[in-house]
Amino acid sequence: MAKAKRKFVCQQCGATAPRWQGQCEDCGGWNTLVEEAPETVFATRHDLQGGGRVLALAGLDEATTLPERQTTGIAEFDRALGGGLVAGSATLIGGDPGIGKSTLLLQAAAAMARRKLSVAYISGEEASDQVRLRARRLGLGDAPVKLASATSVRDILTTLGKGATPDLVIIDSIQTMHSDLIESAPGTVSQVRASAQELIRFAKERGTALVLVGHVTKDGSIAGPRVLEHMVDTVLSFEGERSHQYRILRAVKNRFGGTDEIGVFAMVEEGLEEVANPSSLFLTARDENVAGATVFPALEGTRPVLVEIQALAVRLASGATPRRAVVGWDSGRLAMILAVLEARCGLSFATCEVYLNVAGGYRIADPAADLAVAAALVSALAERPVPRDAVFFGEVALSGEIRPVAHAPLRLREAAKLGFGEAGVPASLASGKGGGKGGGAKGEGAKEGGDNGGLRLHGYRTLAEYVDQVLGRG
Ligand SMILES: Nc1ncnc2c1ncn2[C@@H]1O[C@H](COP(=O)(O)OP(=O)(O)OP(=O)(O)O)[C@@H](O)[C@H]1O
Ligand SMILES: [Mg+2]
């Protein structure tokens, strides 16, 4: 057997190096390399003379059964999972500290335990009493969840292996677990990997659904090795602004379903509450016509969410450099829209401070919001409110053209469902011709009862066309 080599592992990205160095060559992180237990180097070629088993290769058309799914008792959680937890699968849930991972899983554990399923909740972070207190606060104190506070994978597997196998095992969190097969400290890459491997093997062998909680690093990726995400079947990410109520559970990877569904929750005193109609969270009370506010039908996966975009333009008397501040949107994109408004539509924001806010702490990355943002900015500058029952979407090109965007019918239907009456959209949509011209500023092209949900559509070919209409320029 060859001599064991020393191994230094980057705690940020999991890259290995043969010697210590100040900076990781892979991710560029400083001071992230830590020596870990060496891996034994075996001969690089198999000796095929000894003991291999011949596998029976089979076709794709063999009879198979769909994996059995267990509903978690929380519809929004099930939705993100693609229909519930699959027996014998491993699910990883990552999220910022304090976002509500333990709360969500405790609620799911209690709901499942109340349905006579056997559920084990292993906390490596909190003492059992702490978990009990949380359960009591959430009104789940009487649920027959089996609770333990432990960090040794060996102890956990010994306990779980005794008696009937639980239907669901929750490990909160994988970073606190340690396997005594490996020498390094808990939380290091090799420990996380080894602990996860052992737990996942147990889950697959026994047909238990395993849920691992994972910490995330500052940039939002799951701490520890990237390989952890490869080892599990499903990766969910629990997101939201801590200062705001809403939380979104999003599937990042799913071997048993799609990744385009999300679960929406609101964090309240009694824990996480399901939000069946997310638009109600992000639309602020809209009684009065205020200049600078528009509504954008955003999409979360395949789910439309209406959000309000607020803009404020403040004229500066002095020659000071005006500020541009953005919350919930990309500041580069705001600069672009301002530039297009200036160069193509003749509106100058040069002497104005510009503030842009997406209500409710929502974050938009969809370019379809361009037109809604532009409309909010124009409305703020001109101090003319946009009609209260209007939504806007469309991508603005540097040429000032308004481009079609994905899933327009879905956006329109949601807006119609929530009582909106008109929509500012790319011209091609209003005229009913995919990508064609026409429609015009007045938007006579409204198709009643079509796939637009009965909304009056106003199509705009260019942003200038919209600005001209708002300002009454001919
Ligand atoms: N007494 C309380 N009353 C109301 N809300 C509370 C109370 N205690 C905690 N919370 C809410 O629960 C959240 C913490 O949830 P939880 O412990 O489930 O988060 P977590 O994601 O597991 O965090 P960590 O990564 O630290 O384990 C807090 O951010 C807070 O919003
Ligand atoms: Mg927790």
Side-chain angles (χ1 to χ4, degrees):
M1 209 167 64
K3 186 171 152 273
K5 281 187 188 152
R6 296 180 75 187
K7 188 176 77 164
F8 294 84
V9 179
C10 172
Q11 300 300 303
Q12 207 162 289
C13 71
T16 54
R19 67 192 72 82
W20 189 86
Q21 51 204 32
Q23 187 183 21
C24 171
E25 279 177 0
D26 257 37
C27 69
W30 287 97
N31 236 345
T32 53
L33 292 183
V34 170
E35 179 163 16
E36 294 199 348
E39 254 163 38
T40 332
V41 182
F42 295 98
T44 50
R45 263 185 92 187
H46 283 291
D47 170 15
L48 294 184
Q49 304 311 319
R53 193 163 50 85
V54 180
L55 304 172
L57 300 171
L60 285 173
D61 51 356
E62 304 277 307
T64 36
T65 46
L66 280 175
E68 201 182 314
R69 283 184 190 273
Q70 207 63 260
T71 153
T72 57
I74 302 176
E76 295 289 311
F77 193 3
D78 286 346
R79 184 203 289 272
L81 284 167
L85 286 164
V86 176
S89 75
T91 304
L92 177 67
I93 295 192
D96 286 334
I99 202 79
K101 302 179 292 295
S102 308
T103 308
L104 176 71
L105 291 176
L106 192 60
Q107 283 179 277
M112 287 181 76
R114 281 182 176 156
R115 293 207 322 273
K116 306 276 182 291
L117 295 169
S118 116
V119 179
Y121 187 106
I122 315 288
S123 178
E125 267 166 12
E126 295 164 295
S128 297
D129 274 343
Q130 252 175 306
V131 180
R132 251 176 240 126
L133 280 179
R134 173 181 298 127
R136 224 156 282 162
R137 173 165 62 85
L138 303 177
L140 306 170
D142 59 335
V145 176
K146 298 191 188 91
L147 188 63
S149 175
T151 57
S152 157
V153 174
R154 183 187 293 271
D155 294 352
I156 293 170
L157 291 184
T158 309
T159 315
L160 296 180
K162 281 226 172 87
T165 314
D167 297 294
L168 170 67
V169 175
I170 293 168
I171 304 286
D172 189 1
S173 66
I174 188 66
Q175 273 82 10
T176 55
M177 296 295 135
H178 78 95
S179 158
D180 48 22
L181 299 175
I182 299 274
E183 274 173 29
S184 38
T188 54
V189 172
S190 45
Q191 270 295 356
V192 169
R193 188 165 45 197
S195 307
Q197 224 151 27
E198 280 186 68
L199 291 163
I200 293 170
R201 191 178 315 127
F202 174 87
K204 303 254 168 203
E205 280 172 10
R206 300 299 196 87
T208 296
L210 173 72
V211 178
L212 305 173
V213 174
H215 291 172
V216 296
T217 55
K218 257 182 279 163
D219 61 0
S221 58
I222 290 172
R226 220 34 226 271
V227 61
L228 191 57
E229 292 183 38
H230 291 293
M231 287 160 65
V232 296
D233 299 302
T234 305
V235 180
L236 300 177
S237 140
F238 205 29
E239 305 165 359
E241 296 276 322
R242 201 122 50 97
S243 49
H244 288 284
Q245 244 195 341
Y246 86 94
R247 305 279 186 271
I248 288 178
L249 188 64
R250 196 190 299 278
V252 179
K253 136 176 177 179
N254 195 348
R255 287 187 184 150
F256 300 107
T259 52
D260 46 10
E261 289 296 355
I262 58 157
V264 184
F265 299 90
M267 177 63 96
V268 295
E269 178 74 30
E270 299 77 33
L272 290 157
E273 212 169 61
E274 299 177 56
V275 179
N277 177 11
S279 298
S280 62
L281 268 185
F282 305 110
L283 283 181
T284 44
R286 298 171 54 77
D287 311 324
E288 258 176 277
N289 268 351
V290 191
T294 56
V295 176
F296 167 61
L299 278 185
E300 281 293 347
T302 56
R303 240 176 142 186
V305 179
L306 266 62
V307 289
E308 187 179 86
I309 293 175
Q310 304 161 347
L312 182 64
V314 185
R315 280 196 195 287
L316 286 183
S318 66
T321 316
R323 274 186 65 159
R324 272 97 178 83
V326 195
V327 179
W329 210 50
D330 182 40
S331 56
R333 198 109 196 145
L334 172 66
M336 191 198 97
I337 299 289
L338 289 174
V340 173
L341 283 171
E342 177 130 17
R344 311 281 178 199
C345 314
L347 286 184
S348 175
F349 286 85
T351 56
C352 290
E353 301 207 317
V354 176
Y355 300 90
L356 191 80
N357 178 38
V358 180
Y362 193 81
R363 198 161 281 285
I364 302 177
D366 188 354
D370 290 356
L371 183 57
V373 170
L377 290 169
V378 174
S379 158
L381 189 74
E383 291 177 20
R384 290 188 199 185
V386 299
R388 231 179 50 209
D389 65 339
V391 297
F392 293 87
F393 62 88
E395 182 177 348
V396 174
L398 284 181
S399 61
E401 240 182 307
I402 297 176
R403 299 260 167 86
V405 299
H407 302 299
L410 217 63
R411 300 177 199 264
L412 291 173
R413 255 178 278 140
E414 175 74 4
K417 206 165 79 193
L418 287 169
F420 285 82
E422 48 188 297
V425 297
S428 57
L429 186 66
S431 64
K433 280 181 264 162
K437 286 187 178 183
K442 294 282 160 358
E444 293 90 351
K447 289 187 295 169
E448 291 301 328
D451 51 3
N452 58 22
L455 248 64
R456 270 190 326 283
L457 301 188
H458 302 281
Y460 303 102
R461 211 170 45 75
T462 61
L463 192 51
E465 229 173 66
Y466 172 75
V467 173
D468 288 348
Q469 188 202 313
V470 170
L471 303 182
R473 303 193 295 209

